[in-house]
Amino acid sequence: MDTYGEGGKLSFAQLDAYDGKLRQLRHWLHEHPETAMQEKNTSRYIAEQMESFGIPCRVLGETGVIAELTADRELPTIAVRAEIDALAVREETGLPFASQYPGKMHACGHDANTAAALCLAAVLAEHKDALKYNVRFLFEPAEETGEGARYMMAHGALDDPKPLGILIFHFGNQESRAMEIQRNISTAVIGGLRVRVKGKESHFSQYREGIDAMYAASRLVVAVREINDFFQTEYPFVLGFGRMQAGPGRNTVSGEAVLEGSLRTFSEKDFENVYAELQKRMREIERETGAAIELELTKKIPPIINAPFLVERGMQTGRELFGEKFYLGEKPFLVGDNAAYYMEKIPGMRVVFLAGKAGETVYPVHNPRFDIDEAVMIAAVKFFYGFLCG
């Protein structure tokens, strides 16, 4: 397994010496979660760590950090992105390093991402002679709200020099100690949806004088389920509403209802077709109920498509580290990541490290009990070390 060791390169086994530092980094980050565009202390902590490693960096205003590790100005640059934002979730893990901030938690693994990137930076700073690339570390705020990538690019994340490619990664816990790279499409097109249903208020004693917006909205929720079950597309998709608000009181026919949700597809063509089907069903419900229904696309994030030359290089290191537990995936994930905006400008690759705790109950991302097997974090560091120094 450990083919690295000659020519100034560390073996994978030697990298285990950094595991304690890596966990220490994660624990501090987990204890101090900050939500989108509020990651001021997190950014200062990252900058302090980078400066202690001797890596020049800058904080972008109050949040977000860009750091440059230059081994040789003649080498191409690879960017490594780590998200730094947490969620508005009250933690229920019971961990000894649980969140110190009520109502905020790193429930999506961004603490592990940031810790792994910081640990990788520490390793590479000490062993720059092994690098085949210069490395630009992007510590991105507000990934959860879809703001971060464009914010980072506005602050020069892809400038001077333009990176050859960008690597992004995520920790999941669906399986214990494994790794997956998608051969091609990795994540979905994500569209945020807002629907306003306008009816006519009236007292229930005169309900026939009103137009029930809640009823029309409920009809639309049922129609969405039918679209999910029966509408045919080239790739899988998910259409759904996760929030509905309607009505001023318990004895009044609702005059307005608002639904918020998302549409997730793996191609622009499928997105357009499902969106058109939703509009068609809306028009039918309007005719049948008398309500007026307006659909708004609040935001749209493109899919991530992994670059073949990065996948090929990643496969080699992934198989060496994980053996049969390395998967070259054919099925993309119905998740979104605003890192797709970077990949509209430069090639990129998304990597997933699976870090479920064997024999324990698994709680998914965004759950107040979400956690990972920390032993997999050092495997992630090894992967990126092998990729950048192989």
Side-chain angles (χ1 to χ4, degrees), residues 283-335:
R283 301 290 82 82
E284 293 173 355
I285 294 167
E286 281 182 325
R287 289 192 295 270
E288 294 168 4
T289 65
I293 306 176
E294 300 173 357
L295 174 61
E296 178 188 0
L297 184 62
T298 57
K299 65 179 178 180
K300 190 177 180 185
I301 296 174
I304 287 176
I305 301 176
N306 287 337
F309 79 97
L310 296 174
V311 171
E312 184 65 30
R313 188 170 180 84
M315 284 168 52
Q316 297 170 14
T317 306
R319 284 175 173 156
E320 186 172 3
L321 270 170
F322 288 87
E324 293 182 355
K325 298 282 292 231
F326 170 81
Y327 308 126
L328 183 62
E330 301 287 348
K331 181 181 178 182
F333 295 88
L334 273 170
V335 298

Side-chain angles (χ1 to χ4, degrees), residues 78-83 110 113 117 136 138 140 143 149 158 165-171 179-182 186-187 301-306 310 335-343 346-353 380 383-384 387:
I78 291 284
V80 176
R81 191 285 302 264
E83 314 97 304
H110 292 180
N113 290 16
R136 180 174 299 158
L138 306 179
E140 178 191 307
E143 186 278 329
L158 303 184
I166 185 168
L167 306 176
I168 73 165
F169 61 108
H170 184 70
F171 287 95
M179 175 185 169
E180 184 168 359
I181 300 174
Q182 264 59 45
S186 184
T187 66
I301 296 174
I304 287 176
I305 301 176
N306 287 337
L310 296 174
V335 298
D337 190 321
N338 78 161
Y341 294 129
Y342 300 123
M343 297 182 196
I346 60 173
M349 179 175 69
R350 177 178 181 268
V351 179
V352 178
F353 298 102
F383 170 79
F384 289 112
F387 187 101

Side-chain angles (χ1 to χ4, degrees), residues 10-28:
L10 298 173
S11 70
F12 285 152
Q14 286 175 303
L15 289 170
D16 287 331
Y18 291 87
D19 187 57
K21 173 66 172 177
L22 175 55
R23 294 181 190 232
Q24 180 184 30
L25 290 165
R26 191 230 170 178
H27 294 178
W28 189 95

Side-chain angles (χ1 to χ4, degrees), residues 12-29 45 49 53 97 111-112 115-116 118-120 122-123 374-379 381-382:
F12 285 152
Q14 286 175 303
L15 289 170
D16 287 331
Y18 291 87
D19 187 57
K21 173 66 172 177
L22 175 55
R23 294 181 190 232
Q24 180 184 30
L25 290 165
R26 191 230 170 178
H27 294 178
W28 189 95
L29 292 160
Y45 179 78
Q49 293 296 319
F53 306 151
F97 52 89
D111 54 335
L118 285 171
C119 184
L120 175 68
V123 174
E374 289 190 324
V376 179
M377 294 193 301
I378 195 64
V381 173
K382 292 177 181 180

